Amino acid sequence: MNEKYGPLILRLGLAFVFIWFGINQLISPEGFFGYVPNFLSNQINLIILLNGIFDTIIGLALLIGFKVRIITLIKSVQLTAIIITLGYNDVAIRDIGILFAGISLFFLGP
């Protein structure tokens, strides 16, 4: 009956999450210092800045419905790398949920 709204709601929800995290990384990068692996700590500000820009662009693309399948595939690869880097913790578990939401949106199509 209302199945057509599911992909839209999922897309907009993911867009909100990525835009929120992206903007927060740009405004308050120090809140994300603990998530950057030690071997990258000498470039911590640059990494958080680039990730903030990346997340914001990904979120905006999802918000307007631009290349949804490609965008979710790219973000899913990045999220997988983040999850592997973080190891097992509460943030990684959250990211696994977001990863599966993105994979679902990929399979649902544009």
Side-chain angles (χ1 to χ4, degrees):
M1 175 190 254
N2 291 319
E3 296 88 10
K4 65 182 178 180
Y5 297 113
L8 173 65
I9 293 167
L10 180 58
R11 180 172 58 84
L12 294 179
L14 284 173
F16 171 76
V17 169
F18 297 141
I19 291 169
W20 187 89
F21 273 104
I23 290 172
N24 275 283
Q25 288 172 75
L26 298 173
I27 293 172
S28 302
E30 63 280 352
F32 295 88
F33 286 175
Y35 301 114
V36 177
N38 289 336
F39 68 90
L40 297 173
S41 62
N42 61 338
Q43 300 292 328
I44 197 164
N45 286 317
L46 178 62
I47 289 167
I48 293 173
L49 172 70
L50 292 175
N51 197 69
I53 292 168
F54 178 77
D55 280 352
T56 303
I57 291 170
I58 292 288
L60 291 172
L62 288 176
L63 184 67
I64 63 172
F66 179 75
K67 302 285 185 185
V68 172
R69 294 184 92 183
I70 293 169
I71 292 296
T72 54
L73 178 64
I74 292 168
K75 185 61 183 175
S76 293
V77 169
Q78 188 229 16
L79 271 172
T80 301
I82 290 171
I83 292 163
I84 291 168
T85 302
L86 285 175
Y88 178 75
N89 61 37
D90 54 341
V91 175
I93 296 302
R94 178 207 58 203
D95 287 349
I96 290 170
I98 295 170
L99 172 64
F100 278 100
I103 292 169
S104 296
L105 190 56
F106 173 80
F107 283 111
L108 288 169

